[in-house]
């Protein structure tokens, strides 16, 4: 049996980037051969094994045959006769279809190295259109490598548009879409992911319940502009996504809490199956943006309600994150008053009222009154 390093590790090595995880292909072996060496089988549908010590993935060389619609409509064939080249041919991009032997020889039947030099994300073969997940993968890889000058090859982009037009993209599960989107948010230039998906018309398949008139939110120039600025200023993916929806849904900004923007953001993110932490923070930012630049005109009890909705008493860092996101859109205002207000509210101690005999609802009311008074004092000062 021969073992080759493949995929992202070879690509990143030739790009001179740190290697995150290593994938291996095994040629000329039966599953039994790996099992007897102590490898653990992990693949449900594919013959994939984990190395007994490194726990890296080793896959038997395989080919794929399209048998039905969507990204699960495949059967895979594996046998000791399948060559390395045949395995590389089923991969998405030429730069991902290179292998390295144990002696360090590069095997590159599809011109991956040349495309690395040309900085092109280019499909390996017309079979690219057999798996719609590749639309998301390519958009994400652009988000990762665009800062190095990479572009999507025009002929590959044509195939991506085809996958979006023929409905195949809507067969990708919501969970898988979210996984790619969430990964894209951690890349160097996440805005390329959103922009690419807009240009190949992927959003109608990804968010089918959305009103067609709303698809334009993904192309508003100011949305991408502020999203880019946000990504340049912070790396936290919850904050980054909130910056996207802030300008996508709530622009131009209305005065006072914008509950419609909050609801719409919530609906979109729930459709995307985003985890709660994303849904809550993004919808808060979209709804309460005005608080940032119009604080002095807000009634104290509304400010208190906003702090509570943000869970800022228990997680004060959320208030800082909110201020950072709004700052991208509005520029920097003095944020100390927010910190002072939060501190003043947290300094209202329940013991003080308990000792005076307040309990239950009355206790809650007394605490809120004291917190509002503390906020009002800072508003007046
Ligand atoms: P990363 O650095 O994010 O791990 P990667 O390219 O290694 O990038 P993996 O998901 O680890 O991505 O996949 C390993 C390899 O498997 C890819 O480089 C590619 O050759 C192949 N591959 C993965 N998913 C697909 C797919 N949907 N279609 C075709 N080839 C794929
Ligand atoms: Mg990998």
């Amino acid at each position: 049996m021969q073992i080759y390093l493949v995929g992202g590790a070879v690509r990143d090595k030739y790009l001179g980037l740190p290697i995150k995880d290593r994938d291996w292909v095994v040629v000329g072996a039966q599953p039994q051969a790996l099992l007897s060496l102590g490898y653990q089988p992990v693949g449900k549908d594919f013959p994939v094994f984990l190395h007994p010590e490194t726990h890296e993935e080793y896959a038997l060389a395989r080919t794929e045959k399209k048998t039905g619609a969507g990204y699960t409509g495949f059967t895979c064939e594996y046998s000791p006769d399948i060559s390395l080249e045949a395995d590389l041919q089923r991969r998405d991009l030429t730069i991902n279809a290179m292998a390295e032997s144990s002696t360090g020889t590069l095997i590159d039947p599809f011109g991956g190295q040349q495309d690395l030099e040309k900085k092109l994300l280019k499909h390996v073969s017309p079979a690219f259109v057999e798996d719609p997940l590749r639309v998301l993968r390519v958009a994400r890889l652009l988000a990762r490598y665009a800062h190095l000058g990479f572009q999507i090859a025009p002929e590959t982009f044509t195939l991506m548009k085809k996958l979006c037009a023929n409905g195949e993209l809507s067969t990708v599960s919501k969970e898988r879409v979210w996984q790619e989107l969430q990964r894209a948010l951690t890349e160097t230039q996440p805005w390329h992911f959103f922009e690419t998906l807009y240009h190949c018309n992927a959003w109608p398949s990804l968010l089918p319940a959305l009103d067609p008139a709303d698809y334009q939110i993904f192309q508003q120039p100011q949305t991408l502009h502020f999203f880019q600025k946000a990504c340049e200023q912070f790396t936290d993916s919850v904050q980054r996504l909130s910056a996207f929806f802030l300008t996508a849904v709530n622009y131009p900004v209305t005065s006072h809490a914008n509950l419609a923007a909050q609801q719409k953001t919530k609906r979109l993110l729930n459709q995307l199956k985003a985890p709660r932490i994303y849904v809550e923070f993004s919808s808060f930012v979209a709804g309460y943006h005005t608080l940032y630049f119009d604080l002095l005109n807000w009634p104290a009890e509304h400010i208190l309600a906003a702090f509570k909705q943000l869970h800022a008493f228990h997680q004060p860092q959320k208030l800082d994150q909110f201020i950072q996101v709004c700052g991208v859109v509005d520029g920097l205002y003095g944020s100390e008053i927010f910190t002072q207000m939060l501190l003043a509210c947290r300094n209202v101690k329940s013991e003080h009222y308990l000792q005076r005999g307040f309990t239950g609802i009355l206790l809650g009311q007394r605490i809120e009154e004291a917190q509002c008074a503390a906020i009002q004092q800072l508003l007046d000062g």
Side-chain angles (χ1 to χ4, degrees):
M1 86 171 86
Q2 303 99 47
I3 297 180
Y4 300 89
L5 184 64
V6 285
V10 181
R11 175 195 69 215
D12 288 342
K13 180 177 165 183
Y14 279 85
L15 282 172
L17 298 174
I19 292 164
K20 279 190 281 176
D21 67 7
R22 297 194 295 175
D23 301 297
W24 304 87
V25 160
V26 182
V27 180
Q30 296 280 8
Q32 195 50 47
L34 290 177
L35 293 174
S36 61
L37 290 170
Y39 285 76
Q40 293 296 315
V42 283
K44 220 173 4 125
D45 308 313
F46 309 129
V48 179
F49 302 83
L50 294 186
H51 189 280
E53 275 144 35
T54 64
H55 303 291
E56 290 175 343
E57 276 192 14
Y58 286 68
L60 293 185
R62 66 175 192 260
T63 56
E64 281 166 354
K65 212 188 253 164
K66 184 85 168 160
T67 52
Y71 82 114
T72 52
F74 286 100
T75 54
C76 92
E77 286 173 18
Y78 60 97
S79 85
D81 305 330
I82 291 178
S83 66
L84 176 65
E85 283 73 11
D87 181 279
L88 295 175
Q89 191 171 10
R90 71 171 169 83
R91 292 168 186 268
D92 48 4
L93 298 175
T94 59
I95 62 166
N96 289 344
M98 302 188 288
E100 197 180 86
S101 74
S102 54
T103 55
T105 309
L106 180 73
I107 298 107
D108 178 20
F110 304 103
Q113 206 179 17
Q114 202 184 359
D115 287 337
L116 280 182
E117 275 158 26
K118 289 199 219 159
K119 302 187 190 298
L120 273 185
L121 304 178
K122 197 171 88 193
H123 62 284
V124 171
S125 83
F128 181 88
V129 293
E130 291 180 357
D131 179 4
L133 184 63
R134 293 168 187 162
V135 172
L136 297 164
R137 280 180 53 88
V138 175
R140 176 165 65 80
L141 286 178
L142 186 67
R144 189 187 293 182
Y145 297 123
H147 73 289
L148 301 175
F150 273 81
Q151 292 180 326
I152 300 173
E155 55 276 35
T156 304
F157 195 65
T158 304
L159 297 183
M160 290 165 70
K161 280 198 280 200
K162 198 166 152 188
L163 273 166
C164 296
N166 68 14
E168 283 272 304
L169 192 60
S170 50
T171 66
V172 180
S173 71
K174 291 273 182 293
E175 288 74 13
R176 201 65 185 76
V177 172
W178 170 256
Q179 198 181 4
E180 289 295 324
L181 196 157
Q182 202 256 329
R183 281 187 197 162
L185 288 170
T186 67
E187 303 291 6
T188 331
Q189 299 193 331
W191 57 93
H192 289 291
F193 180 81
F194 287 84
E195 202 168 23
T196 303
L197 294 182
Y198 174 75
H199 287 304
C200 61
N201 202 25
W203 290 109
S205 305
L206 299 176
L207 290 173
L210 198 62
D211 186 326
D214 284 337
Y215 289 127
Q216 58 157 339
I217 68 173
F218 293 99
Q219 64 145 347
Q220 292 167 136
Q222 77 271 2
T223 299
L224 290 170
H225 168 72
F226 286 123
F227 181 52
Q228 174 170 345
K229 268 178 68 179
C231 294
E232 285 163 357
Q233 285 181 32
F234 33 79
T235 55
D236 181 80
S237 46
V238 176
Q239 274 184 295
R240 283 178 162 185
L241 192 63
S242 74
F244 180 83
F245 280 101
L246 169 59
T247 46
V249 170
N250 183 5
Y251 201 89
V253 171
T254 57
S255 60
H256 294 297
N258 186 342
L259 299 182
Q262 185 175 24
Q263 284 312 318
K264 189 160 170 178
T265 306
K266 212 173 246 181
R267 194 160 47 84
L268 290 170
L269 283 168
N270 281 330
Q271 271 180 43
L272 282 168
K273 295 234 173 189
R276 236 173 98 179
I277 182 170
Y278 287 88
V279 182
E280 288 195 350
F281 189 72
S282 286
S283 58
F284 179 85
V285 171
Y288 285 82
H289 178 197
T290 333
L291 179 65
Y292 176 68
F293 60 84
D294 205 23
L295 176 76
L296 298 182
N297 291 318
W298 273 48
E301 57 276 24
H302 289 201
I303 297 173
L304 181 61
F307 285 170
K308 286 188 176 172
Q309 206 171 124
L310 189 59
H311 306 295
F313 290 140
H314 298 110
Q315 296 161 281
Q317 76 279 8
K318 289 232 164 126
L319 187 59
D320 298 329
Q321 292 179 329
F322 167 75
I323 290 166
Q324 276 183 349
V325 174
C326 296
V328 172
V329 174
D330 298 313
L332 294 177
Y333 284 74
S335 61
E336 304 83 61
I337 187 164
F338 283 98
T339 321
Q340 287 165 356
M341 281 182 180
L342 187 62
L343 189 67
C345 290
R346 294 174 91 200
N347 279 340
V348 174
K349 301 287 180 222
S350 54
E351 295 82 43
H352 175 70
Y353 297 94
L354 279 167
Q355 280 162 9
R356 289 165 60 191
F358 291 106
T359 53
I361 294 176
L362 276 182
L363 173 66
Q365 279 175 353
R366 285 291 167 276
I367 292 172
E368 278 198 6
E369 279 166 19
Q371 288 172 328
C372 284
I375 291 174
Q376 192 61 51
Q377 208 174 3
L378 284 158
L379 288 172
D380 296 339

